[in-house]
Amino acid sequence: MTGCAPKPSTFLIVDHHQPGQARQYEERFPEAYYDVGPDGDLDVVLRRHQPAEGQRREPLTQIIHIHSVWRSIPGQTIAETSQVNATVTYAILSGPEGETFEGAGSVFFEQNRKRNRLKGSLGLALLKPRRSLAPGEALFAGAEVSGEFKAVRDRRRVVRTINELERLFGPRPAYENSAPGYPPPASHAASP
């Protein structure tokens, strides 16, 4: 009898580059890590690395960073997919080129009893192009991202991934639609 390998975290990306035409991509992320800060903020990072193949001369790396500042609890707080309780960064890197798509969405999650594993889902996150390493047209004009994830608690890998994104792309942009009195979330820019 053979055992089943755990299913990797899977996300659906809907590209709205062409008006009236949506293209869908399903991406699986074999690496998924999370950390909960002392203030209760959650950071989840997911990574997928693909070696160069075919016409693509450079390896391709995709990273998703989900940062949630509050947790919805069904039956106790608002718990709908239309809520916004997380910022999302989706980065695509290939050689010297790369860009981020950023926005907000709803995240639901649950830790196991040992608090070393997390299972969750990202409701509809609406993302726009924000930072780029090279001039040119963005890969997506607007994208919707949703999916399910399972992550292992590993603060070092979370911090390393967030710092890598900031080193490559610079600091996260100011949030255009922040409510007064609510600053943009701080990153885990501390060293591991």
Side-chain angles (χ1 to χ4, degrees), residues 15-86:
D15 170 16
H16 293 286
H17 199 77
Q18 299 281 339
Q21 297 177 343
R23 293 186 355 204
Q24 295 185 4
Y25 305 93
E26 184 177 278
E27 298 291 346
R28 297 179 189 275
F29 292 81
E31 294 180 56
Y33 307 102
Y34 81 98
D35 188 43
V36 178
D39 53 4
D41 288 6
L42 170 76
D43 280 295
V44 179
V45 294
L46 304 109
R47 179 188 293 270
R48 178 180 182 181
H49 182 77
Q50 299 165 264
E53 60 183 33
Q55 294 181 348
R56 196 176 69 237
R57 295 180 185 186
E58 300 284 347
L60 179 70
T61 301
Q62 297 177 68
I63 298 170
I64 294 178
H65 172 215
I66 302 167
H67 178 83
S68 177
V69 293
W70 65 274
R71 179 178 178 207
S72 60
I73 303 169
Q76 294 181 12
T77 60
I78 296 172
E80 298 177 7
T81 57
S82 62
Q83 74 186 15
V84 174
N85 67 339

Side-chain angles (χ1 to χ4, degrees), residues 101-121:
F101 303 89
E102 302 180 55
S106 61
V107 66
F108 301 93
F109 59 92
E110 212 174 283
Q111 289 187 85
N112 67 352
R113 288 180 191 233
K114 293 181 179 180
R115 302 210 178 278
N116 63 353
R117 297 199 180 272
L118 182 85
K119 181 179 180 181
S121 64

Side-chain angles (χ1 to χ4, degrees), residues 114-137:
K114 293 181 179 180
R115 302 210 178 278
N116 63 353
R117 297 199 180 272
L118 182 85
K119 181 179 180 181
S121 64
L122 176 66
L124 187 63
L126 303 173
L127 309 181
K128 295 282 185 187
R130 291 290 184 229
R131 298 177 279 172
S132 181
L133 298 178
E137 186 178 354

Side-chain angles (χ1 to χ4, degrees), residues 2 15 38 54 69 84 87 99 105 129 142 144 165 168 182 190:
T2 59
D15 170 16
V69 293
V84 174
T87 59
E99 57 191 321
E144 297 172 358
L165 288 173
L168 289 169
Y182 291 92

